[in-house]
Amino acid sequence: GTAFNYIMPYGEATMACMDAAAAAGVKVGFSLKDVFFGSKWCPKQITSREEEEIYFRKRVAQFQNHSALLAWYTNDELTPAFLPQLKAHQQWLIEDDPNHPSWEVLCEDGEFDQYMGTFDVIGSDPYPIGEGNKTTSGVHEEVNTTVVQTDDARPVWEVIQAMNWKNYHKGVPCPR
């Protein structure tokens, strides 16, 4: 068996990825985090808010019944400027796929309450254990902060980042 049972590909998963995950008994958080007209990473074929909705709903329809799907990953640290679109995405998921939760990840303490109504499950992403002064107790504190700032009203799936920064951007400090 595998040592884990859930993956979240950072880009949109392909059907082949979803099929491979299902065959391995692994669930997937399907990434829709970039489907925001006006964002830096938005797919180039989306040139309006109307096309954003069409694209988003098409992906949901395509993958909502896949056995590997556990959740929709809908936000990776988008600023409050995207709140109207985040709220729309949440509404589309309520309408089109009420069987899978939306999950978003935020990083700025003090802003989490603004995002209520844009997700089913929340997480924060303290940068790696071992980076600077981050310890497991620091991660524990951040989880507690997330719970408090969302009034304990939503489940928390924390992002635990334990990695070697030497594999990324040599010489660039941790973004936090």
Side-chain angles (χ1 to χ4, degrees):
T2 61
F4 54 88
N5 63 4
Y6 178 74
I7 60 171
M8 195 284 302
Y10 208 62
E12 287 183 35
T14 63
M15 189 60 75
C17 173
M18 296 293 283
D19 291 344
V26 174
K27 294 293 187 179
V28 175
F30 192 95
S31 180
L32 293 171
K33 68 171 178 53
D34 295 327
V35 184
F36 290 87
F37 177 66
S39 72
K40 180 179 180 180
W41 305 109
C42 186
K44 299 295 181 224
Q45 66 265 43
I46 297 174
T47 60
S48 68
R49 292 282 301 273
E50 294 77 18
E51 289 178 6
E52 173 186 323
E53 179 177 359
I54 292 166
Y55 185 98
F56 186 98
R57 287 182 183 246
K58 181 178 177 184
R59 289 294 183 269
V60 171
Q62 183 179 7
F63 291 99
Q64 70 181 358
N65 294 317
H66 199 287
S67 62
L69 181 66
L70 178 67
W72 300 103
Y73 183 43
T74 56
N75 179 8
D76 185 78
E77 303 179 3
L78 285 172
T79 67
F82 287 94
L83 282 169
Q85 286 163 277
L86 285 162
K87 288 177 181 176
H89 289 200
Q90 180 68 10
Q91 185 58 43
W92 300 335
L93 286 174
I94 289 167
E95 293 168 6
D96 296 354
D97 185 13
N99 297 317
H100 296 97
S102 62
W103 175 51
E104 71 180 45
V105 175
L106 300 172
C107 68
E108 295 300 324
D109 291 347
E111 291 185 349
F112 292 7
D113 60 337
Q114 295 178 64
Y115 291 83
M116 294 301 286
T118 67
F119 60 87
D120 297 311
V121 180
I122 186 72
S124 59
D125 57 353
Y127 280 86
I129 294 173
E131 181 71 24
N133 61 0
K134 276 291 185 208
T135 64
T136 55
S137 64
V139 172
H140 180 261
E141 290 170 19
E142 188 145 351
V143 171
N144 286 339
T145 298
T146 302
V147 170
V148 167
Q149 289 183 6
T150 56
D151 295 325
D152 202 14
R154 296 288 186 277
V156 173
W157 294 351
E158 193 67 3
V159 177
I160 307 300
Q161 296 187 27
M163 62 200 180
N164 183 347
W165 273 106
K166 291 179 183 176
N167 293 325
Y168 301 91
H169 312 293
K170 292 186 183 224
V172 176
C174 176
R176 302 269 317 246

